[in-house]
Amino acid sequence: HKFVSDAVQAALQCLLLFSCWTLGRAGSIPAARLTSFLFYTNYVLESSNEVGDQWAKIQSAIGASTNVFDLIRRIPKVRDPLEVTNTLREVNAAQNLINGANDHRPVIKFSDLTVAYGTMEKPALKKVNLDISRGD
């Protein structure tokens, strides 16, 4: 997209310069008016090019937000564990103390997680660390 718009802009500028050169050589328009006209058209072309760039960024942001909403609406394949009664928890805690099983390793661990979308220049998440232990 950017290459095409830049190529069209360069072609229009070349055509405009040639037309103004032709009119200037014929003496139809004074040099001062040609110069101000060229500056004005260059300003308009640059502004329209920037509008196109901003529109492309808006479209990519809409695409990324659509992906986020799809992720929010999805049904996870991993389910929460069944609810355990307090009595069973107390028995398990006592058994762990008796057996000396004080395992503090996280159940879920992410290290340096980075999430990026193809349409974005920068990643949405960068180097995220997460530890989830039992009972969190």
Side-chain angles (χ1 to χ4, degrees):
H1 169 266
K2 179 79 172 142
F3 174 76
V4 173
S5 68
D6 287 345
V8 169
Q9 181 180 355
L12 286 174
Q13 284 177 333
C14 288
L15 180 65
L16 184 66
L17 283 173
F18 178 75
S19 299
C20 288
W21 177 76
T22 305
L23 289 173
R25 285 196 38 111
S28 302
I29 300 175
R33 292 195 71 191
L34 276 175
T35 303
S36 63
F37 177 72
L38 286 174
F39 281 128
Y40 177 75
T41 54
N42 189 38
Y43 173 75
V44 170
L45 284 173
E46 288 292 329
S47 298
S48 63
N49 196 14
E50 289 299 318
V51 168
D53 290 344
Q54 294 303 320
W55 180 252
K57 288 179 182 179
I58 289 170
Q59 287 178 327
S60 69
I62 290 171
S65 65
T66 302
N67 290 339
V68 168
F69 290 128
D70 288 343
L71 287 172
I72 290 171
R73 284 191 293 266
R74 72 175 171 78
I75 299 172
K77 292 182 180 179
V78 177
R79 301 285 184 188
D80 291 334
L82 297 175
E83 192 62 33
V84 181
T85 63
N86 284 336
T87 307
L88 188 52
R89 283 189 183 138
E90 292 168 358
V91 170
N92 286 337
Q95 285 177 344
N96 287 338
L97 285 175
I98 293 170
N99 296 333
N102 287 333
D103 190 13
H104 296 291
R105 292 179 302 178
V107 176
I108 298 173
K109 180 175 182 134
F110 294 126
S111 297
D112 293 330
L113 174 71
T114 300
V115 178
Y117 298 100
T119 58
M120 295 177 64
E121 294 176 8
K122 295 181 181 178
L125 298 174
K126 186 175 182 182
K127 294 187 177 182
V128 174
N129 296 318
L130 175 69
D131 291 343
I132 300 176
S133 301
R134 279 192 199 280
D136 286 349

